[in-house]
Structures are given as structure tokens and as C-alpha cells.
Amino acid sequence: MNYPELKITFLGTGTSSGVPMIGCRCDVCLSTDKKDKRLRSSILVQSKTTTLVVDTTPDFRYQMLRADVKLLDAVVFTHPHKDHVAGLDDIRAFNFFSQKPMEIYANALTEEALRREFIYVFNGNKYPGIPKINLNTISAEPFIAGDIPIIPISVYHLNMPVLGFRFGKFTYITDANRIDDNERKKIKGSEVIVLNALRREKHISHFTLNEAIKLVNDLNIPQAYFTHMSHQIGRHNEINNELPEGIELAWDGLTLIF
Ligand SMILES: [Zn+2]
Ligand SMILES: [Zn+2]
């Protein structure tokens, strides 16, 4: 298969409040370890000719600066929660340099929220400097962004359908606590999977650490990284040392190449 070589960069690995959380004095939020500083969850996916980001978090601007991203071809959205869409306005800088609209890939649920929450982008207002986007509505069907083929995987975040994405050997799933059998088939054969693992205690809409570990084993994927972590999960180094072989906590700045 001629799948392009990819570089994946974790731009953020924190839950919606980020780590540290504003005002919190817990052991994790006070940690000086860089791996305990987690911006909101997002990854950068790059082939030789295409650079895309999964989600535009409230930290999107800083994430682009920190990863030194000079050109961005596309944004692929998982779901409409604010910690995954709030940074969309800042694609303006890329419009300015590329002189073209940003390619946006979103399902109908996310599209509806984008149209509501960024009404000025969609209402035909030609005010210079507003974000320029080209919206591509996606469903469960595979699609291609630039030269990167992508398979959407439908997962559940309590009752909300959320899209995970498979990029060749690499599967990225954030904000889920249930994956049906049909969708699991699409994941099988991945060499690396990213899953959300919020904390140890049960949560209504996210996998816990143990649920995520069990899922990696059930899917029989040799390498896994966890993301979307809360300060409640504990310090990176302590938790990471306890994990089974082949499973690690992701951290902001981690890169993988396939
Ligand atoms: Zn989230
Ligand atoms: Zn804290």
C-alpha cells in the first residue's frame, strides 16, 4: 500500500481544563515536570506535502507557534465540544500566508455547531480578516485530505457520536467511552493507537485508565499512547511507570514517525 510516510506531533494531551487547571494547587498542577503541562488535546499530522491538524483547541494559536507550523492545509474535526473547536478563528494567519481558504473536514453535527458558534465566518460578511474556510462535510466514508487518506471511526462520548480517525497504521481516538464492534473492525490491524484516558475514577463520557488499557488489549494493538488526561490522573512519570509494556501516556511535543 502506498500510504505516505507520516509524522505525528502531539500538540496537546490534556482534558478540557488543561493541566495545570486554573487555580488548582494539587500535586500534578504544581509539578515542574514539562510532561505534566498539558494543553488541550490535538495532533498535527504531516506527510511530505500535506499538514493537517485534528481539532482547533482553545490553545490552537500557541500550539501552532510552539510546533513552528508555517503552513497548514486542513483541519479535521472530531466533535463540536469547545475544547476541540474554540481555536478555529486563528486559522486566519494561514489564510493570510496561503491566500486561500482553509480546508475544513467536519461531520454534520460539528458543522452545525461551527455555523452557530462562528456565525461571522458563515454569514456572507466580507469583512477583511475574518477566517476563510472551505467546509467539507464528512460521514463514515473514507476521505483524503491533501495526500493523506483518512478513515473515520464513529465512537461514542456518552451519547454524542464522535469521530476518531485512522491514518494508515495509526489510529487517533479522543473523547470516547464506547466503541461498537463494527467500528472496532476498522481499527484492527493498526500498529499504534491513541486513546483518551481521563483519570482512574469512573467518568460518564471518557475511558478511565483501566478501561483504556483493557481496550488496547482487546484490540490487540502493540503500541498505545493515552491522551486527554485530567490532573486527576496523577503525575506523568509515576503513572507512566506503572503501565503495561507497549502502553504509554502521551505528552505535549511527543512525535512519532511511520
Ligand atoms: Zn475533549
Ligand atoms: Zn490540579
Side-chain angles (χ1 to χ4, degrees):
M1 188 173 85
N2 275 337
Y3 202 91
E5 182 177 274
L6 295 183
K7 179 180 177 192
I8 309 286
T9 304
F10 287 82
L11 299 171
T13 58
T15 190
S16 57
S17 51
V19 182
M21 188 174 85
I22 294 171
C24 187
R25 310 292 293 165
C26 80
D27 185 53
V28 175
C29 289
L30 292 177
S31 168
T32 54
D33 184 348
K34 272 191 196 159
K35 293 181 179 173
D36 287 318
K37 311 288 182 205
R38 301 185 185 280
L39 299 181
R40 268 60 70 90
S41 292
S42 173
I43 55 168
L44 190 72
V45 180
Q46 295 174 289
S47 69
K48 285 222 160 51
T49 59
T50 303
T51 296
L52 65 86
V53 71
V54 178
D55 293 331
T56 54
T57 81
D59 300 311
F60 175 72
R61 173 181 169 276
Y62 181 58
Q63 287 168 328
M64 293 297 99
L65 291 170
R66 189 167 71 169
D68 196 23
V69 180
K70 296 185 184 73
L71 283 172
L72 185 66
D73 301 295
V75 178
V76 181
F77 282 111
T78 59
H79 69 299
H81 280 163
K82 212 61 165 184
D83 53 323
H84 298 262
V85 302
L88 178 63
D89 188 81
D90 281 316
I91 58 128
R92 290 177 300 138
F94 296 113
N95 290 153
F96 178 77
F97 288 114
S98 70
Q99 289 294 306
K100 58 183 188 194
M102 180 63 67
E103 296 297 329
I104 304 282
Y105 297 85
N107 67 7
L109 181 77
T110 301
E111 179 177 337
E112 184 195 322
L114 295 177
R115 288 183 184 279
R116 185 177 61 243
E117 294 174 23
F118 297 91
I119 191 168
Y120 58 96
V121 175
F122 296 94
N123 67 3
N125 184 347
K126 293 286 186 280
Y127 185 81
I130 62 171
K132 292 175 186 63
I133 73 171
N134 181 35
L135 196 52
N136 304 275
T137 306
I138 56 174
S139 59
E141 296 304 310
F143 63 98
I144 298 184
D147 70 341
I148 302 179
I150 304 171
I151 301 171
I153 297 158
S154 190
V155 300
Y156 284 95
H157 189 32
L158 186 59
N159 297 318
M160 175 184 276
V162 168
L163 294 180
F165 298 106
R166 180 165 177 175
F167 304 88
K169 304 170 198 162
F170 174 82
T171 296
Y172 180 77
I173 294 173
T174 183
D175 295 65
N177 68 332
R178 179 161 66 86
I179 306 177
D180 292 342
D181 288 346
N182 268 349
E183 300 301 298
R184 288 182 187 220
K185 285 183 197 142
K186 297 185 189 170
I187 303 169
K188 287 227 159 134
S190 298
E191 289 178 11
V192 181
I193 190 168
V194 178
L195 286 175
N196 66 136
L198 186 74
R199 62 186 189 193
R200 289 176 186 280
E201 298 78 35
K202 192 79 186 154
H203 188 270
I204 186 172
S205 62
H206 286 281
F207 289 127
T208 64
L209 192 58
N210 281 336
E211 288 168 346
I213 292 169
K214 181 174 184 306
L215 182 57
V216 174
N217 291 331
D218 289 350
L219 292 167
N220 197 21
I221 296 175
Q223 183 73 48
Y225 295 90
F226 293 160
T227 191
H228 211 291
M229 286 165 276
S230 160
H231 61 151
Q232 294 164 319
I233 201 166
R235 288 197 183 199
H236 178 97
N237 279 338
E238 287 167 23
I239 304 302
N240 209 38
N241 286 339
E242 294 172 12
L243 295 176
E245 174 132 18
I247 301 181
E248 295 176 46
L249 301 186
W251 41 275
D252 289 27
L254 171 65
T255 61
L256 308 172
I257 291 175
F258 304 65

Short mmCIF file of all heavy atoms in Angstrom, two decimals, residues 213-244:
data_model
loop_
_atom_site.label_atom_id
_atom_site.label_comp_id
_atom_site.label_asym_id
_atom_site.label_seq_id
_atom_site.Cartn_x
_atom_site.Cartn_y
_atom_site.Cartn_z
N ILE A 213 -6.69 0.72 28.97
CA ILE A 213 -5.73 -0.39 28.90
C ILE A 213 -6.43 -1.66 28.40
O ILE A 213 -5.92 -2.38 27.53
CB ILE A 213 -5.09 -0.64 30.29
CG1 ILE A 213 -4.20 0.53 30.67
CG2 ILE A 213 -4.30 -1.96 30.31
CD1 ILE A 213 -3.73 0.52 32.12
N LYS A 214 -7.62 -1.91 28.92
CA LYS A 214 -8.37 -3.11 28.52
C LYS A 214 -8.68 -3.07 27.02
O LYS A 214 -8.56 -4.06 26.31
CB LYS A 214 -9.66 -3.22 29.33
CG LYS A 214 -10.46 -4.46 28.97
CD LYS A 214 -11.67 -4.66 29.87
CE LYS A 214 -12.40 -5.97 29.54
NZ LYS A 214 -12.80 -6.11 28.15
N LEU A 215 -9.07 -1.89 26.54
CA LEU A 215 -9.42 -1.76 25.12
C LEU A 215 -8.20 -2.01 24.22
O LEU A 215 -8.31 -2.66 23.19
CB LEU A 215 -10.02 -0.37 24.86
CG LEU A 215 -10.47 -0.10 23.44
CD1 LEU A 215 -11.48 -1.13 22.95
CD2 LEU A 215 -11.07 1.30 23.33
N VAL A 216 -7.05 -1.50 24.62
CA VAL A 216 -5.82 -1.74 23.84
C VAL A 216 -5.58 -3.25 23.74
O VAL A 216 -5.27 -3.78 22.68
CB VAL A 216 -4.60 -1.05 24.48
CG1 VAL A 216 -3.32 -1.44 23.74
CG2 VAL A 216 -4.77 0.46 24.48
N ASN A 217 -5.75 -3.94 24.87
CA ASN A 217 -5.55 -5.39 24.87
C ASN A 217 -6.60 -6.10 24.03
O ASN A 217 -6.28 -7.01 23.25
CB ASN A 217 -5.56 -5.92 26.31
CG ASN A 217 -4.33 -5.45 27.07
OD1 ASN A 217 -3.28 -5.22 26.47
ND2 ASN A 217 -4.46 -5.28 28.37
N ASP A 218 -7.87 -5.68 24.17
CA ASP A 218 -8.95 -6.31 23.39
C ASP A 218 -8.70 -6.14 21.88
O ASP A 218 -8.99 -7.03 21.09
CB ASP A 218 -10.31 -5.68 23.72
CG ASP A 218 -10.79 -6.07 25.11
OD1 ASP A 218 -10.16 -6.97 25.73
OD2 ASP A 218 -11.78 -5.48 25.59
N LEU A 219 -8.21 -4.97 21.49
CA LEU A 219 -7.99 -4.69 20.06
C LEU A 219 -6.67 -5.30 19.58
O LEU A 219 -6.40 -5.32 18.38
CB LEU A 219 -7.98 -3.18 19.81
CG LEU A 219 -9.31 -2.45 20.01
CD1 LEU A 219 -9.08 -0.93 20.04
CD2 LEU A 219 -10.29 -2.80 18.91
N ASN A 220 -5.85 -5.71 20.54
CA ASN A 220 -4.58 -6.37 20.23
C ASN A 220 -3.66 -5.47 19.39
O ASN A 220 -3.11 -5.90 18.38
CB ASN A 220 -4.87 -7.70 19.51
CG ASN A 220 -3.68 -8.62 19.52
OD1 ASN A 220 -2.79 -8.46 20.35
ND2 ASN A 220 -3.65 -9.55 18.58
N ILE A 221 -3.52 -4.23 19.84
CA ILE A 221 -2.66 -3.27 19.13
C ILE A 221 -1.35 -3.14 19.94
O ILE A 221 -1.39 -2.94 21.15
CB ILE A 221 -3.38 -1.91 18.98
CG1 ILE A 221 -4.60 -2.13 18.09
CG2 ILE A 221 -2.44 -0.85 18.40
CD1 ILE A 221 -5.49 -0.93 17.94
N PRO A 222 -0.21 -3.31 19.25
CA PRO A 222 1.05 -3.43 20.00
C PRO A 222 1.52 -2.17 20.72
O PRO A 222 2.24 -2.25 21.71
CB PRO A 222 2.07 -3.85 18.93
CG PRO A 222 1.44 -3.54 17.63
CD PRO A 222 -0.04 -3.60 17.83
N GLN A 223 1.13 -0.99 20.21
CA GLN A 223 1.64 0.24 20.83
C GLN A 223 0.49 1.22 21.04
O GLN A 223 -0.28 1.47 20.11
CB GLN A 223 2.72 0.87 19.93
CG GLN A 223 3.37 2.11 20.50
CD GLN A 223 4.33 1.81 21.64
OE1 GLN A 223 5.17 0.92 21.56
NE2 GLN A 223 4.18 2.54 22.74
N ALA A 224 0.38 1.77 22.24
CA ALA A 224 -0.70 2.72 22.52
C ALA A 224 -0.17 3.91 23.31
O ALA A 224 0.76 3.78 24.12
CB ALA A 224 -1.81 2.03 23.31
N TYR A 225 -0.78 5.05 23.05
CA TYR A 225 -0.49 6.28 23.79
C TYR A 225 -1.81 6.84 24.28
O TYR A 225 -2.78 6.90 23.52
CB TYR A 225 0.20 7.31 22.88
CG TYR A 225 1.56 6.87 22.42
CD1 TYR A 225 1.71 6.16 21.23
CD2 TYR A 225 2.70 7.15 23.17
CE1 TYR A 225 2.95 5.73 20.80
CE2 TYR A 225 3.95 6.72 22.75
CZ TYR A 225 4.07 6.01 21.56
OH TYR A 225 5.30 5.59 21.14
N PHE A 226 -1.84 7.28 25.52
CA PHE A 226 -3.07 7.85 26.07
C PHE A 226 -3.01 9.37 26.06
O PHE A 226 -1.95 9.98 26.22
CB PHE A 226 -3.31 7.33 27.48
CG PHE A 226 -3.61 5.85 27.53
CD1 PHE A 226 -3.46 5.13 28.70
CD2 PHE A 226 -4.06 5.17 26.39
CE1 PHE A 226 -3.73 3.77 28.76
CE2 PHE A 226 -4.35 3.81 26.43
CZ PHE A 226 -4.17 3.10 27.62
N THR A 227 -4.21 9.97 25.87
CA THR A 227 -4.29 11.43 25.78
C THR A 227 -5.53 11.93 26.51
O THR A 227 -6.23 11.17 27.17
CB THR A 227 -4.28 11.87 24.29
OG1 THR A 227 -4.10 13.30 24.22
CG2 THR A 227 -5.58 11.49 23.57
N HIS A 228 -5.80 13.23 26.41
CA HIS A 228 -6.97 13.87 27.03
C HIS A 228 -7.02 13.60 28.53
O HIS A 228 -8.05 13.24 29.09
CB HIS A 228 -8.26 13.40 26.33
CG HIS A 228 -9.37 14.42 26.33
ND1 HIS A 228 -10.03 14.80 27.46
CD2 HIS A 228 -9.93 15.14 25.32
CE1 HIS A 228 -10.95 15.69 27.16
NE2 HIS A 228 -10.89 15.94 25.86
N MET A 229 -5.87 13.80 29.17
CA MET A 229 -5.75 13.47 30.59
C MET A 229 -6.07 14.65 31.49
O MET A 229 -5.76 15.80 31.20
CB MET A 229 -4.34 12.97 30.87
CG MET A 229 -4.12 11.56 30.33
SD MET A 229 -2.40 11.13 30.26
CE MET A 229 -1.94 11.83 28.68
N SER A 230 -6.68 14.31 32.62
CA SER A 230 -7.01 15.28 33.66
C SER A 230 -5.85 15.34 34.65
O SER A 230 -5.08 14.39 34.76
CB SER A 230 -8.28 14.80 34.36
OG SER A 230 -8.39 15.39 35.64
N HIS A 231 -5.78 16.43 35.41
CA HIS A 231 -4.80 16.48 36.51
C HIS A 231 -5.08 15.37 37.53
O HIS A 231 -4.18 14.97 38.27
CB HIS A 231 -4.82 17.85 37.20
CG HIS A 231 -6.11 18.25 37.82
ND1 HIS A 231 -6.21 19.08 38.92
CD2 HIS A 231 -7.39 17.91 37.52
CE1 HIS A 231 -7.47 19.24 39.26
NE2 HIS A 231 -8.20 18.56 38.41
N GLN A 232 -6.31 14.84 37.52
CA GLN A 232 -6.66 13.79 38.49
C GLN A 232 -5.99 12.46 38.19
O GLN A 232 -6.03 11.55 39.02
CB GLN A 232 -8.19 13.59 38.49
CG GLN A 232 -8.94 14.81 38.99
CD GLN A 232 -10.42 14.75 38.62
OE1 GLN A 232 -10.78 14.35 37.52
NE2 GLN A 232 -11.27 15.16 39.54
N ILE A 233 -5.37 12.33 37.03
CA ILE A 233 -4.75 11.04 36.69
C ILE A 233 -3.45 10.82 37.48
O ILE A 233 -3.03 9.68 37.69
CB ILE A 233 -4.49 10.92 35.17
CG1 ILE A 233 -4.35 9.45 34.77
CG2 ILE A 233 -3.27 11.72 34.74
CD1 ILE A 233 -4.44 9.19 33.28
N GLY A 234 -2.84 11.91 37.91
CA GLY A 234 -1.57 11.78 38.63
C GLY A 234 -0.43 12.30 37.78
O GLY A 234 -0.63 12.71 36.63
N ARG A 235 0.78 12.30 38.38
CA ARG A 235 1.96 12.81 37.66
C ARG A 235 2.38 11.86 36.55
O ARG A 235 2.34 10.64 36.72
CB ARG A 235 3.13 13.00 38.62
CG ARG A 235 2.92 14.17 39.56
CD ARG A 235 4.23 14.57 40.18
NE ARG A 235 4.02 15.66 41.14
CZ ARG A 235 5.00 16.46 41.57
NH1 ARG A 235 6.23 16.28 41.14
NH2 ARG A 235 4.72 17.42 42.42
N HIS A 236 2.79 12.44 35.44
CA HIS A 236 3.16 11.65 34.25
C HIS A 236 4.10 10.50 34.59
O HIS A 236 3.85 9.35 34.26
CB HIS A 236 3.80 12.56 33.20
CG HIS A 236 4.25 11.83 31.98
ND1 HIS A 236 3.49 11.75 30.84
CD2 HIS A 236 5.37 11.11 31.73
CE1 HIS A 236 4.12 11.01 29.94
NE2 HIS A 236 5.26 10.62 30.45
N ASN A 237 5.22 10.82 35.24
CA ASN A 237 6.25 9.79 35.43
C ASN A 237 5.78 8.65 36.32
O ASN A 237 6.09 7.50 36.06
CB ASN A 237 7.54 10.41 35.97
CG ASN A 237 8.34 11.04 34.83
OD1 ASN A 237 8.15 10.68 33.67
ND2 ASN A 237 9.19 11.99 35.17
N GLU A 238 5.02 8.99 37.34
CA GLU A 238 4.54 7.94 38.26
C GLU A 238 3.58 6.99 37.54
O GLU A 238 3.69 5.77 37.64
CB GLU A 238 3.84 8.56 39.47
CG GLU A 238 4.83 9.21 40.42
CD GLU A 238 4.16 10.09 41.46
OE1 GLU A 238 2.95 9.89 41.73
OE2 GLU A 238 4.85 10.98 41.98
N ILE A 239 2.62 7.56 36.81
CA ILE A 239 1.61 6.73 36.12
C ILE A 239 2.26 5.95 34.98
O ILE A 239 2.02 4.77 34.79
CB ILE A 239 0.45 7.60 35.59
CG1 ILE A 239 -0.17 8.41 36.72
CG2 ILE A 239 -0.59 6.73 34.90
CD1 ILE A 239 -0.70 7.59 37.87
N ASN A 240 3.11 6.63 34.23
CA ASN A 240 3.74 6.00 33.07
C ASN A 240 4.53 4.75 33.47
O ASN A 240 4.52 3.75 32.76
CB ASN A 240 4.65 7.02 32.39
CG ASN A 240 4.79 6.78 30.91
OD1 ASN A 240 3.82 6.40 30.25
ND2 ASN A 240 5.97 6.97 30.39
N ASN A 241 5.18 4.82 34.62
CA ASN A 241 5.99 3.68 35.08
C ASN A 241 5.15 2.46 35.44
O ASN A 241 5.66 1.35 35.45
CB ASN A 241 6.83 4.07 36.31
CG ASN A 241 7.99 4.97 35.90
OD1 ASN A 241 8.39 4.97 34.74
ND2 ASN A 241 8.51 5.75 36.84
N GLU A 242 3.88 2.68 35.74
CA GLU A 242 3.01 1.57 36.14
C GLU A 242 2.35 0.88 34.95
O GLU A 242 1.70 -0.14 35.12
CB GLU A 242 1.84 2.10 37.00
CG GLU A 242 2.23 2.68 38.33
CD GLU A 242 1.02 3.33 39.00
OE1 GLU A 242 -0.13 3.13 38.55
OE2 GLU A 242 1.25 4.06 39.97
N LEU A 243 2.46 1.46 33.75
CA LEU A 243 1.67 0.94 32.63
C LEU A 243 2.29 -0.32 32.03
O LEU A 243 3.50 -0.50 32.07
CB LEU A 243 1.55 2.03 31.55
CG LEU A 243 0.76 3.27 31.98
CD1 LEU A 243 0.78 4.32 30.87
CD2 LEU A 243 -0.68 2.91 32.34
N PRO A 244 1.44 -1.17 31.47
CA PRO A 244 1.96 -2.39 30.82
C PRO A 244 2.86 -2.04 29.63
O PRO A 244 2.76 -0.95 29.06
CB PRO A 244 0.69 -3.09 30.31
CG PRO A 244 -0.46 -2.44 30.98
CD PRO A 244 -0.02 -1.06 31.38
#
